[in-house]
Amino acid sequence: DAGITQSPRHKVTETGTPVTLRCHQTENHRYMYWYRQDPGHGLRLIHYSYGVKDTDKGEVSDGYSVSRSKTEDFLLTLESATSSQTSVYFCASTGGPNTEAFFGQGTRLTVV
Amino acid sequence: GENVEQHPSTLSVQEGDSAVIKCTYSDSASNYFPWYKQELGKRPQLIIDIRSNVGEKKDQRIAVTLNKTAKHFSLHITETQPEDSAVYFCAATMGGGKLIFGQGTELSVKP
């Protein structure tokens, strides 16, 4: 696997608290993505980045924000966690839009 | 909007049979179409991809076909084996490098 890691791998948090998930890649990839995976919905794009400080919204961006201050790190923040944000979150990275994207191991987030 | 539709959502075949999964996409400018396999509890991994300048690509028992006019692409798995059981996702790149996935197909290969 390409060098892409997520932290934490598991997290339980309370409704209303802020949560930040981290994605770190060592491939010098330009593009990075955050997805959530829920049964019956596949992988839905939350936000993506096409360069340092360059980000854009995906299909399900409400309630989420991102930041990318360095090539290797892409942070996803749930500003005020809700139970509907309980999910498995995957980040991915790729060197270009028409090349293979590599995924992190996933983060299982539970909001209680 | 920008989307990828994938069918069927579940597929059950006997070992040795073929399996076909179909996807359609909305953005006529899309030119990269990867397929990912996700085993239970694991991350998705690329199994094959196709670019818009090619109509078909094969890799051993796996093939992908692309019809740009109809905005359709399909995954074909021949001589299926129990280890092919997994969830398969199609995807397409959209404007700005956005990578959009279909809803997934859970393939079950019965011995």
Side-chain angles (χ1 to χ4, degrees), chain A residues 4-85:
Chain A
I4 180 167
T5 55
Q6 294 181 228
S7 59
R9 295 290 315 281
H10 302 271
K11 186 169 183 67
V12 179
T13 192
E14 292 186 349
T15 299
T17 60
V19 177
T20 295
L21 308 183
R22 181 184 185 231
C23 181
H24 179 77
Q25 53 102 356
T26 58
E27 304 297 317
N28 200 34
H29 284 167
R30 177 183 172 191
Y31 292 81
M32 296 185 76
Y33 307 86
W34 275 108
Y35 296 91
R36 60 177 290 173
Q37 184 171 29
D38 305 289
H41 292 279
L43 293 158
R44 291 184 292 175
L45 182 65
I46 305 171
H47 283 280
Y48 72 106
S49 171
Y50 47 94
V52 173
K53 292 188 169 55
D54 292 322
T55 65
D56 203 354
K57 295 179 180 180
E59 308 159 272
V60 290
S61 59
D62 287 350
Y64 301 95
S65 62
V66 290
S67 66
R68 191 161 178 212
S69 58
K70 298 186 290 185
T71 298
E72 56 266 37
D73 290 324
F74 192 32
L75 303 180
L76 176 71
T77 298
L78 288 67
E79 291 137 10
S80 177
T82 67
S83 58
S84 64
Q85 293 176 312

Coordinates of all heavy atoms in Angstrom, one line a residue, chain A residues 4-85:
Chain A
I4 N -0.2 6.0 3.1 CA -1.3 6.9 3.5 C -1.9 6.3 4.8 O -2.3 5.2 4.8 CB -2.3 7.1 2.4 CG1 -3.5 8.0 2.8 CG2 -2.8 5.8 1.8 CD1 -4.3 8.5 1.7
T5 N -1.9 7.1 5.8 CA -2.4 6.7 7.1 C -3.5 7.6 7.7 O -3.4 8.9 7.4 CB -1.3 6.5 8.1 OG1 -0.6 7.7 8.2 CG2 -0.3 5.4 7.7
Q6 N -4.4 7.1 8.5 CA -5.4 7.9 9.1 C -5.3 7.8 10.6 O -4.9 6.7 11.1 CB -6.8 7.4 8.7 CG -7.1 7.6 7.2 CD -8.5 7.2 6.8 OE1 -8.7 6.5 5.9 NE2 -9.5 7.6 7.6
S7 N -5.6 8.8 11.3 CA -5.7 8.8 12.8 C -6.8 9.7 13.3 O -7.1 10.7 12.7 CB -4.4 9.2 13.4 OG -4.0 10.5 13.0
P8 N -7.5 9.2 14.3 CA -7.4 7.9 14.9 C -8.1 6.9 14.1 O -8.7 7.2 13.1 CB -8.2 8.1 16.3 CG -9.2 9.1 15.9 CD -8.6 10.1 15.0
R9 N -7.9 5.6 14.4 CA -8.6 4.5 13.7 C -10.0 4.3 14.2 O -10.9 3.9 13.5 CB -7.8 3.2 13.9 CG -6.4 3.2 13.2 CD -6.5 3.3 11.7 NE -7.5 2.3 11.2 CZ -7.2 1.0 11.0 NH1 -6.1 0.5 11.4 NH2 -8.2 0.3 10.5
H10 N -10.2 4.6 15.5 CA -11.6 4.5 16.1 C -11.7 5.7 17.0 O -10.8 6.1 17.7 CB -11.7 3.2 16.9 CG -11.4 2.0 16.1 ND1 -12.4 1.3 15.5 CD2 -10.3 1.3 15.9 CE1 -11.9 0.2 14.9 NE2 -10.6 0.2 15.1
K11 N -13.0 6.2 17.1 CA -13.3 7.3 18.0 C -14.7 7.2 18.4 O -15.6 7.1 17.5 CB -12.9 8.6 17.4 CG -13.0 9.8 18.4 CD -12.4 11.0 18.0 CE -12.6 12.1 19.0 NZ -11.7 11.8 20.2
V12 N -15.0 7.4 19.6 CA -16.4 7.6 20.1 C -16.4 9.0 20.7 O -15.6 9.4 21.5 CB -16.7 6.6 21.2 CG1 -18.2 6.8 21.7 CG2 -16.6 5.2 20.6
T13 N -17.4 9.8 20.3 CA -17.5 11.1 20.8 C -19.0 11.5 21.1 O -19.9 10.8 20.7 CB -16.9 12.1 19.8 OG1 -16.8 13.4 20.4 CG2 -17.8 12.3 18.6
E14 N -19.2 12.6 21.8 CA -20.5 12.9 22.2 C -21.1 14.0 21.2 O -20.3 14.8 20.7 CB -20.5 13.5 23.6 CG -20.2 12.5 24.7 CD -20.3 13.0 26.1 OE1 -20.5 14.2 26.3 OE2 -20.3 12.2 27.0
T15 N -22.4 13.9 21.1 CA -23.1 14.9 20.3 C -22.7 16.3 20.7 O -22.7 16.6 21.9 CB -24.6 14.7 20.4 OG1 -24.9 13.4 19.9 CG2 -25.4 15.7 19.6
G16 N -22.4 17.2 19.7 CA -22.1 18.6 19.9 C -20.7 18.9 20.1 O -20.3 20.1 20.1
T17 N -19.8 17.9 20.2 CA -18.4 18.1 20.4 C -17.7 18.2 19.0 O -18.1 17.6 18.0 CB -17.7 17.0 21.2 OG1 -17.9 15.8 20.5 CG2 -18.3 16.9 22.6
P18 N -16.6 19.0 18.9 CA -15.9 19.0 17.6 C -14.9 17.8 17.6 O -14.4 17.3 18.6 CB -15.1 20.3 17.8 CG -14.9 20.6 19.2 CD -16.1 20.0 19.9
V19 N -14.7 17.3 16.4 CA -13.9 16.2 16.1 C -13.0 16.5 14.9 O -13.5 17.0 13.9 CB -14.7 14.9 15.9 CG1 -13.8 13.7 15.6 CG2 -15.6 14.6 17.0
T20 N -11.7 16.1 15.0 CA -10.8 16.3 13.9 C -10.2 14.9 13.5 O -9.6 14.3 14.4 CB -9.7 17.3 14.1 OG1 -10.3 18.6 14.3 CG2 -8.7 17.4 13.0
L21 N -10.3 14.5 12.3 CA -9.6 13.3 11.8 C -8.5 13.8 10.9 O -8.6 14.7 10.1 CB -10.6 12.5 10.9 CG -12.0 12.2 11.6 CD1 -12.8 11.3 10.7 CD2 -11.8 11.5 13.0
R22 N -7.4 13.0 11.0 CA -6.2 13.3 10.2 C -5.9 12.3 9.2 O -6.0 11.1 9.4 CB -5.0 13.5 11.2 CG -3.7 13.9 10.5 CD -2.6 13.9 11.4 NE -1.3 14.4 10.9 CZ -0.2 13.7 10.9 NH1 -0.1 12.6 11.6 NH2 0.9 14.2 10.4
C23 N -5.5 12.8 8.0 CA -5.0 11.9 6.9 C -3.6 12.4 6.6 O -3.4 13.6 6.3 CB -5.9 12.0 5.7 SG -5.4 11.0 4.3
H24 N -2.6 11.5 6.5 CA -1.2 11.8 6.3 C -0.7 10.9 5.2 O -0.8 9.7 5.3 CB -0.4 11.6 7.6 CG 1.0 11.8 7.4 ND1 1.6 13.1 7.4 CD2 2.1 11.0 7.3 CE1 2.9 13.0 7.2 NE2 3.2 11.8 7.2
Q25 N -0.1 11.5 4.1 CA 0.5 10.7 3.1 C 1.9 11.1 2.8 O 2.3 12.3 3.0 CB -0.4 10.8 1.8 CG -0.7 12.2 1.3 CD 0.2 12.7 0.2 OE1 1.1 12.0 -0.3 NE2 -0.1 13.9 -0.3
T26 N 2.7 10.1 2.4 CA 4.1 10.4 2.2 C 4.5 10.2 0.7 O 5.7 10.0 0.4 CB 4.9 9.4 3.1 OG1 4.6 8.0 2.7 CG2 4.7 9.6 4.5
E27 N 3.5 10.3 -0.2 CA 3.7 10.1 -1.6 C 3.9 11.4 -2.4 O 4.0 11.4 -3.6 CB 2.6 9.2 -2.2 CG 2.4 7.9 -1.5 CD 3.6 7.0 -1.6 OE1 4.1 6.9 -2.7 OE2 3.9 6.4 -0.6
N28 N 3.8 12.5 -1.7 CA 3.8 13.8 -2.4 C 2.7 13.9 -3.4 O 2.8 14.6 -4.4 CB 5.2 14.0 -3.1 CG 5.4 15.5 -3.3 OD1 5.0 16.4 -2.6 ND2 6.1 15.8 -4.5
H29 N 1.5 13.3 -3.0 CA 0.4 13.4 -3.9 C -0.3 14.8 -3.8 O -0.4 15.3 -2.8 CB -0.7 12.3 -3.5 CG -0.3 10.9 -4.0 ND1 -0.9 9.8 -3.6 CD2 0.7 10.5 -4.9 CE1 -0.4 8.8 -4.2 NE2 0.6 9.2 -5.0
R30 N -0.7 15.2 -5.0 CA -1.3 16.6 -5.0 C -2.8 16.5 -4.6 O -3.3 17.5 -3.9 CB -1.3 17.1 -6.5 CG -1.9 18.5 -6.6 CD -1.9 19.0 -8.1 NE -2.7 20.2 -8.2 CZ -3.1 20.7 -9.4 NH1 -2.7 20.1 -10.5 NH2 -3.8 21.8 -9.4
Y31 N -3.5 15.5 -4.9 CA -4.9 15.4 -4.6 C -5.2 14.5 -3.4 O -4.6 13.5 -3.3 CB -5.7 14.8 -5.8 CG -5.7 15.7 -7.1 CD1 -4.7 15.7 -7.9 CD2 -6.9 16.5 -7.3 CE1 -4.7 16.5 -9.1 CE2 -6.9 17.3 -8.5 CZ -5.8 17.3 -9.3 OH -5.8 18.1 -10.4
M32 N -6.1 15.0 -2.6 CA -6.5 14.3 -1.4 C -8.0 14.4 -1.2 O -8.6 15.4 -1.6 CB -5.8 14.7 -0.1 CG -4.3 14.5 -0.2 SD -3.4 14.9 1.3 CE -3.8 13.4 2.4
Y33 N -8.6 13.3 -0.7 CA -10.1 13.2 -0.6 C -10.5 12.7 0.7 O -9.8 11.9 1.3 CB -10.6 12.3 -1.7 CG -10.2 12.5 -3.1 CD1 -9.0 12.0 -3.6 CD2 -10.9 13.3 -4.0 CE1 -8.5 12.2 -4.9 CE2 -10.5 13.5 -5.3 CZ -9.3 13.0 -5.7 OH -8.9 13.2 -7.0
W34 N -11.7 13.1 1.2 CA -12.3 12.5 2.3 C -13.7 12.0 1.9 O -14.5 12.7 1.3 CB -12.6 13.6 3.5 CG -11.4 13.7 4.4 CD1 -10.5 14.8 4.4 CD2 -10.9 12.8 5.3 NE1 -9.6 14.6 5.4 CE2 -9.8 13.4 6.0 CE3 -11.4 11.6 5.8 CZ2 -9.1 12.7 7.0 CZ3 -10.7 10.9 6.8 CH2 -9.6 11.5 7.4
Y35 N -13.9 10.7 2.3 CA -15.2 10.1 2.0 C -15.8 9.5 3.3 O -15.1 9.2 4.2 CB -15.0 8.9 1.1 CG -14.5 9.2 -0.3 CD1 -13.1 9.3 -0.6 CD2 -15.4 9.5 -1.4 CE1 -12.7 9.6 -1.9 CE2 -14.9 9.8 -2.6 CZ -13.6 9.9 -2.9 OH -13.1 10.2 -4.1
R36 N -17.1 9.4 3.3 CA -17.8 8.6 4.3 C -18.4 7.4 3.7 O -18.9 7.5 2.5 CB -18.8 9.4 5.1 CG -19.9 10.0 4.3 CD -20.9 10.8 5.3 NE -21.6 9.9 6.1 CZ -22.4 10.3 7.1 NH1 -22.6 11.6 7.4 NH2 -23.0 9.4 7.9
Q37 N -18.4 6.3 4.4 CA -19.0 5.1 3.9 C -20.1 4.6 4.8 O -19.9 4.3 6.0 CB -18.0 4.0 3.7 CG -18.5 2.7 3.1 CD -17.5 1.7 2.7 OE1 -16.4 1.6 3.3 NE2 -17.7 0.9 1.7
D38 N -21.3 4.5 4.3 CA -22.5 4.1 5.0 C -23.2 3.0 4.2 O -23.2 3.0 3.0 CB -23.4 5.2 5.2 CG -22.8 6.4 5.9 OD1 -22.5 6.3 7.1 OD2 -22.6 7.4 5.2
P39 N -23.8 2.0 4.9 CA -24.5 0.9 4.1 C -25.5 1.5 3.1 O -26.3 2.3 3.5 CB -25.1 0.1 5.2 CG -24.3 0.4 6.5 CD -23.8 1.8 6.3
G40 N -25.4 1.0 1.9 CA -26.4 1.4 0.9 C -26.0 2.7 0.2 O -26.7 3.0 -0.8
H41 N -25.0 3.3 0.6 CA -24.6 4.6 0.0 C -23.2 4.6 -0.6 O -22.8 5.6 -1.2 CB -24.7 5.7 1.1 CG -26.1 6.0 1.5 ND1 -27.0 6.8 0.8 CD2 -26.7 5.6 2.6 CE1 -28.1 6.9 1.5 NE2 -28.0 6.2 2.6
G42 N -22.5 3.6 -0.5 CA -21.2 3.5 -1.1 C -20.2 4.5 -0.4 O -20.3 4.8 0.8
L43 N -19.4 5.1 -1.2 CA -18.4 6.1 -0.8 C -18.8 7.4 -1.2 O -18.9 7.7 -2.4 CB -17.0 5.7 -1.4 CG -16.4 4.5 -0.8 CD1 -15.3 4.0 -1.8 CD2 -15.8 4.7 0.5
R44 N -19.2 8.3 -0.3 CA -19.7 9.6 -0.7 C -18.6 10.7 -0.4 O -18.1 10.7 0.8 CB -21.0 9.9 0.0 CG -22.2 9.1 -0.4 CD -23.5 9.5 0.2 NE -23.5 9.2 1.6 CZ -24.5 9.5 2.5 NH1 -25.5 10.2 2.1 NH2 -24.4 9.1 3.8
L45 N -18.3 11.5 -1.3 CA -17.3 12.5 -1.2 C -17.7 13.7 -0.3 O -18.8 14.3 -0.5 CB -16.9 13.0 -2.6 CG -15.8 14.1 -2.6 CD1 -14.5 13.4 -2.2 CD2 -15.7 14.6 -4.1
I46 N -16.9 14.0 0.7 CA -17.2 15.0 1.6 C -16.6 16.3 1.2 O -17.2 17.3 0.9 CB -16.8 14.7 3.1 CG1 -17.3 13.4 3.5 CG2 -17.1 15.8 4.0 CD1 -16.7 12.8 4.8
H47 N -15.2 16.3 1.1 CA -14.4 17.4 0.6 C -13.2 16.8 -0.1 O -12.8 15.7 0.2 CB -13.9 18.3 1.7 CG -14.9 19.3 2.3 ND1 -15.2 20.5 1.7 CD2 -15.6 19.2 3.4 CE1 -16.1 21.1 2.5 NE2 -16.4 20.3 3.5
Y48 N -12.6 17.6 -1.0 CA -11.3 17.2 -1.6 C -10.4 18.4 -1.7 O -10.8 19.5 -1.6 CB -11.6 16.5 -2.9 CG -12.0 17.4 -4.0 CD1 -11.1 17.7 -5.1 CD2 -13.3 17.8 -4.1 CE1 -11.5 18.5 -6.1 CE2 -13.7 18.6 -5.2 CZ -12.8 19.0 -6.2 OH -13.2 19.8 -7.2
S49 N -9.1 18.1 -2.0 CA -8.1 19.1 -2.1 C -7.3 18.8 -3.4 O -6.9 17.7 -3.6 CB -7.2 19.1 -0.9 OG -6.1 19.9 -1.1
Y50 N -7.1 19.9 -4.1 CA -6.3 19.8 -5.3 C -4.9 20.5 -5.2 O -4.3 20.7 -6.2 CB -7.1 20.2 -6.6 CG -7.8 21.6 -6.4 CD1 -7.2 22.7 -6.8 CD2 -9.0 21.6 -5.9 CE1 -7.8 24.0 -6.7 CE2 -9.7 22.8 -5.7 CZ -9.1 24.0 -6.1 OH -9.7 25.2 -5.9
G51 N -4.5 20.8 -4.0 CA -3.3 21.4 -3.7 C -3.3 22.0 -2.3 O -4.3 22.1 -1.7
V52 N -2.1 22.4 -1.9 CA -2.0 23.1 -0.6 C -2.9 24.3 -0.5 O -2.9 25.1 -1.5 CB -0.6 23.5 -0.2 CG1 -0.5 24.3 1.1 CG2 0.3 22.2 -0.1
K53 N -3.8 24.4 0.5 CA -4.7 25.4 0.7 C -5.8 25.5 -0.4 O -6.7 26.4 -0.4 CB -4.0 26.8 0.8 CG -3.2 27.0 2.0 CD -2.7 28.4 2.2 CE -2.0 28.6 3.5 NZ -1.0 27.7 3.9
D54 N -5.9 24.5 -1.3 CA -6.9 24.5 -2.3 C -7.9 23.3 -2.0 O -7.5 22.2 -2.2 CB -6.3 24.3 -3.7 CG -5.5 25.5 -4.2 OD1 -6.0 26.6 -3.9 OD2 -4.5 25.3 -4.8
T55 N -9.1 23.7 -1.6 CA -10.1 22.6 -1.3 C -11.4 23.0 -1.9 O -11.7 24.1 -2.3 CB -10.2 22.5 0.2 OG1 -10.8 23.7 0.8 CG2 -8.9 22.2 0.9
D56 N -12.3 22.0 -2.0 CA -13.6 22.2 -2.6 C -14.6 21.2 -2.0 O -14.1 20.2 -1.4 CB -13.6 22.1 -4.1 CG -14.7 22.8 -4.8 OD1 -15.6 23.3 -4.1 OD2 -14.8 22.9 -6.0
K57 N -15.8 21.5 -2.1 CA -16.9 20.7 -1.5 C -17.2 19.5 -2.3 O -17.1 19.5 -3.6 CB -18.2 21.5 -1.3 CG -18.0 22.6 -0.3 CD -19.3 23.4 -0.2 CE -19.2 24.5 0.8 NZ -20.5 25.3 0.9
G58 N -17.6 18.4 -1.7 CA -18.1 17.2 -2.4 C -19.6 17.1 -2.2 O -20.3 18.1 -2.1
E59 N -20.1 15.9 -2.3 CA -21.6 15.6 -2.3 C -22.2 15.9 -0.9 O -23.4 16.2 -0.9 CB -21.8 14.2 -2.7 CG -21.1 13.7 -4.0 CD -21.0 12.2 -4.0 OE1 -20.0 11.7 -3.5 OE2 -21.9 11.6 -4.6
V60 N -21.5 15.6 0.1 CA -22.1 15.7 1.5 C -21.3 16.5 2.4 O -20.8 16.0 3.5 CB -22.3 14.2 2.0 CG1 -23.4 13.5 1.3 CG2 -21.0 13.4 2.0
S61 N -21.1 17.8 2.1 CA -20.1 18.6 2.8 C -20.7 19.3 4.1 O -20.0 19.8 4.9 CB -19.5 19.7 1.9 OG -20.5 20.5 1.3
D62 N -22.0 19.4 4.2 CA -22.6 20.1 5.3 C -22.2 19.5 6.6 O -22.3 18.3 6.9 CB -24.2 20.1 5.2 CG -24.7 20.9 4.1 OD1 -23.9 21.7 3.5 OD2 -25.9 20.9 3.8
G63 N -21.8 20.4 7.5 CA -21.3 20.0 8.9 C -19.9 19.6 9.0 O -19.4 19.2 10.0
Y64 N -19.2 19.6 7.8 CA -17.8 19.3 7.8 C -16.9 20.4 7.2 O -17.4 21.2 6.3 CB -17.5 18.1 6.8 CG -18.3 16.8 7.2 CD1 -19.5 16.5 6.6 CD2 -17.7 15.9 8.1 CE1 -20.2 15.4 6.9 CE2 -18.4 14.7 8.4 CZ -19.6 14.5 7.8 OH -20.3 13.3 8.1
S65 N -15.7 20.6 7.7 CA -14.8 21.5 7.1 C -13.4 20.8 7.0 O -13.2 19.7 7.6 CB -14.6 22.8 8.0 OG -14.1 22.4 9.2
V66 N -12.6 21.3 6.1 CA -11.3 20.7 5.9 C -10.2 21.7 5.9 O -10.5 22.9 5.7 CB -11.2 19.9 4.6 CG1 -12.0 18.6 4.7 CG2 -11.6 20.7 3.4
S67 N -9.0 21.3 6.1 CA -7.8 22.2 5.9 C -6.6 21.4 5.4 O -6.5 20.2 5.7 CB -7.5 22.9 7.2 OG -7.0 21.9 8.2
R68 N -5.8 22.1 4.6 CA -4.6 21.4 4.0 C -3.6 22.5 4.0 O -3.4 23.3 3.0 CB -4.9 20.9 2.6 CG -3.7 20.0 2.2 CD -4.1 19.1 1.1 NE -3.0 18.3 0.6 CZ -2.9 17.9 -0.6 NH1 -3.8 18.3 -1.6 NH2 -1.9 17.2 -1.0
S69 N -2.7 22.5 5.0 CA -1.7 23.5 5.1 C -0.3 23.0 4.6 O 0.6 23.7 4.4 CB -1.5 24.0 6.6 OG -1.2 22.8 7.4
K70 N -0.2 21.6 4.5 CA 0.9 21.0 3.9 C 0.5 19.9 3.0 O -0.6 19.3 3.1 CB 1.7 20.3 5.1 CG 2.3 21.2 6.1 CD 3.2 20.5 7.1 CE 2.4 19.5 8.0 NZ 3.2 18.9 9.1
T71 N 1.4 19.6 2.0 CA 1.0 18.6 1.0 C 0.6 17.3 1.7 O -0.3 16.6 1.2 CB 2.2 18.3 0.1 OG1 2.5 19.5 -0.6 CG2 2.0 17.2 -0.9
E72 N 1.3 16.9 2.7 CA 1.1 15.5 3.3 C -0.1 15.4 4.2 O -0.5 14.3 4.5 CB 2.4 15.1 4.0 CG 2.9 16.0 5.1 CD 3.9 17.0 4.6 OE1 3.8 17.5 3.4 OE2 4.8 17.4 5.4
D73 N -0.7 16.5 4.7 CA -1.7 16.4 5.7 C -3.0 17.0 5.2 O -3.1 18.1 4.7 CB -1.3 17.0 7.0 CG -0.2 16.3 7.7 OD1 -0.2 15.0 7.6 OD2 0.6 16.9 8.3
F74 N -4.1 16.2 5.4 CA -5.5 16.7 5.1 C -6.4 16.4 6.3 O -6.5 15.3 6.6 CB -5.9 16.0 3.8 CG -7.2 16.6 3.2 CD1 -7.4 18.0 3.2 CD2 -8.0 15.8 2.5 CE1 -8.5 18.5 2.6 CE2 -9.1 16.3 1.8 CZ -9.4 17.7 1.9
L75 N -6.8 17.5 6.9 CA -7.6 17.3 8.1 C -9.1 17.5 7.8 O -9.5 18.4 7.1 CB -7.2 18.4 9.2 CG -5.7 18.4 9.5 CD1 -5.4 19.5 10.6 CD2 -5.3 17.0 10.1
L76 N -9.9 16.7 8.5 CA -11.4 16.8 8.4 C -11.9 17.1 9.7 O -11.6 16.4 10.7 CB -12.0 15.4 7.9 CG -13.5 15.4 7.8 CD1 -14.0 16.2 6.7 CD2 -14.0 13.9 7.6
T77 N -12.7 18.2 9.9 CA -13.3 18.6 11.1 C -14.8 18.5 11.1 O -15.4 19.0 10.1 CB -12.8 20.0 11.5 OG1 -11.4 20.0 11.7 CG2 -13.4 20.4 12.8
L78 N -15.3 17.9 12.1 CA -16.8 17.9 12.3 C -17.0 19.0 13.4 O -16.5 18.8 14.5 CB -17.3 16.6 12.8 CG -17.4 15.4 11.9 CD1 -16.0 14.9 11.4 CD2 -18.1 14.2 12.5
E79 N -17.6 20.1 13.0 CA -17.6 21.2 13.8 C -18.4 21.0 15.1 O -18.0 21.5 16.2 CB -18.1 22.4 13.0 CG -17.2 22.9 12.0 CD -17.8 23.2 10.6 OE1 -19.1 23.3 10.6 OE2 -17.1 23.4 9.6
S80 N -19.5 20.3 15.0 CA -20.4 19.9 16.1 C -21.0 18.6 15.8 O -22.0 18.6 15.1 CB -21.4 21.0 16.3 OG -22.3 20.7 17.4
A81 N -20.4 17.5 16.3 CA -20.8 16.2 15.8 C -22.2 15.9 16.1 O -22.8 16.2 17.2 CB -19.9 15.2 16.5
T82 N -22.9 15.2 15.2 CA -24.3 14.7 15.3 C -24.3 13.2 15.1 O -23.4 12.7 14.5 CB -25.2 15.4 14.3 OG1 -24.9 15.0 13.0 CG2 -25.1 16.9 14.4
S83 N -25.4 12.6 15.5 CA -25.5 11.1 15.4 C -25.5 10.7 13.9 O -25.0 9.6 13.6 CB -26.7 10.6 16.1 OG -27.9 11.2 15.6
S84 N -26.0 11.6 13.1 CA -26.0 11.2 11.6 C -24.6 11.2 11.0 O -24.4 10.7 9.9 CB -26.8 12.3 10.9 OG -26.3 13.5 10.9
Q85 N -23.6 11.7 11.7 CA -22.2 11.6 11.3 C -21.5 10.4 11.7 O -20.3 10.2 11.4 CB -21.5 12.9 11.7 CG -22.0 14.1 11.0 CD -21.4 15.4 11.4 OE1 -21.2 15.7 12.6 NE2 -21.0 16.3 10.5

